Structure formats: C-alpha cells, structure tokens
Amino acid sequence: MKFIKWLFILLIIAGLAYAAYWYNRVEPLPEGIVSGNGRLELNRIDVASLYPGRVQEIKVQEGEAVQKNQVLVVLSSEQSDSQLASAQAAKLRLEETVSRAQAEVAAREQQLKLAQMELNNAVSLRRDNLVYQVEVNRRQAARDAERAAVAAAKAGQAEAQAGVTQAQAQVDAASSAHQDLLITAPLDARVEYRIAEIANVIASGSKVITLVDPLDITMNVFLPTHSMAPLELGAEARIILDGIDAVWPAHVEFISAQAQFTPKHVETANEREKLMYKVKLRVPVDVVREHTKLLKGGLTGMAYVRINQQTNWPEQWQVKLPTSK
C-alpha cells in the first residue's frame, strides 16, 4: 500500500511539473523577429494658464472628450478687467479728439477758401488800380496764414489718429490677455486630470488640466542588443494586447541611441540580458481612430518586431482587427 501511495504522489508531482513546464514554455520566435512586453501609452498634454488669476469655473470633467478650442477653465482677474476697461476708455477719448480735429480741419479749409477768394478779388481790383498793393499783400498773408492753419489742423488730426491706432493696439493686447483667461483645448482630446479646482488662485504658467490625445498611441518595448544592428526606423511590428482578441499593426518610430540596463518590469526570455535598447512603436492613426474605445492607455501586451524585412509574418501574427468598434 505504501508503494502505491508514494507512486500516486510521484505521479501527481510529475503531472504538476509537466503542466508548469507546458504553461511556462517559451515558444521559439521565427528568425528575423524579436519580441518584448510593454504597455500602451497615450500622449499627455499639460494645459497651463498664460496669466495669473482665480479659477472661476471648470467646464469639463475627468474622462470627458473635448474638441479643439473648447473652453476648459475660466479664470477671473479684476486686474485684467480694469486694464481692458481703461484701454477702451482711452481709445474712446482719442476718437473724440480725432472727431474734433476733423471738424477743425474742415473749418480751417473753409477759412482758406474765403481767404483765397478775398485774395483773388484784391488782385482783380489791383489790376484796375482800385486798391493799393499793400491790400493785396495783406490778403495774401491772410491766405498763407489760413493755409498754414489747415496744415497744422491736419497734422493734429494725424497725431490724434495715430493715438487711436496706439489705443486700439492696447485694447487688442488687453482683450487678448482677457481672452487668455478662457483656457481652451489645443486639440481634440480627452480630459485625464483636473489639476486646479474652483476658487484656486494660480500663477502664470500653472497647469490646470491634463489631456491625453486618444489618437497618439505608442508602446515602448526593450529589445536585446543583438537585434539592433538590422533594425530600422519604420520597420513593421505587431502588438497583441492582453484581453483583446486582435493583432494590431504598428511600426518602429524611435530607437534609443544607446543601450540601458533592463528595467525591472521588462520580462525577457534570457534573464542574462542586462543591456537593452528602448524602441517606440506607433499604432497607425487610422486604425486608432476606428477603435478608440478599445485602445486605452496602460493596456499591457506583447510586441513583435520584424528586423528582417524578408521574413514573412506567421499566421498568428497577421493583422486581425476587432470587428466591433
């Protein structure tokens, strides 16, 4: 009985060992293909305030999809309001000055016409010896004085108009600063974090919202040094994510310039591999656009990179996209 009992125990142990081996075995990769594990990463954009102010309103929630130029956060600044009102008032005063200068020019031009008529009349009378030359000279001097007055009025008008232009520039600057208190989305994206909250007073350059671009999806993998020589930018790759029955196309976008020690989270077939190269894979935008609900930042999976362009992809790594979006 003891022999049968021990034989039974040994059979169980052998079965468990075989199961463990079968489960943990490493399938050999085809020649010309290397692999690595990683996780999807979305491009993160920190949206900051250009000017200081108090957070008056936050118009979005975390996880919400936003459109380009959509208002995310509204800041309140009494200083900005007063600067804009002051610039607008200064422009209004200068516009009134321009109006007065225009009226002055019109009046002086009428005086010039009258002085010219009187001069012409005096010249005509002088031909008939009905007036002395001194009268002609007096009226000519009066005409010249009016002409100078018109020139001076026009110069005053131009100066006033230049002041209006300068005031408009100040209004535009104040209005732009005031408009910048409405913090908007730089692109179509999704809200990841709300950093600021209502009533917070923030400084210039403070981050208020963090966005992620759902169309900018990459995966960083670490590949062994012996596979780097033939690897080229643009090389084809495949990504298989945990929990999703699909094979995603990708391509090599970045290769690090030098090797680094293998990060602890990277699983390698050969634990003696200490130096690895960081390689960034990008999923095509048109594929991402069709499956944004499935592709999320942080999803883990395996990536397979073809370092030999003559190698054909095995059947299990042919591109297979999900049928449901």
Side-chain angles (χ1 to χ4, degrees), residues 36 61 74 82 84 148 150 157 167 169 172-173 202 213 219 225 239 255 260 283 296 304 317:
Q61 299 295 329
V74 179
S82 62
L84 179 58
V150 168
Q157 179 185 355
D172 292 342
I202 61 175
D213 184 356
M219 175 183 279
T225 56
I239 295 175
I255 303 173
Q260 64 184 80
V283 181
K296 306 176 184 67
Y304 301 90
W317 294 333

Side-chain angles (χ1 to χ4, degrees), residues 97-109 157:
T97 302
V98 170
S99 298
R100 289 195 299 270
Q102 289 174 341
E104 177 69 16
V105 169
R108 287 297 181 180
E109 286 178 341
Q157 179 185 355

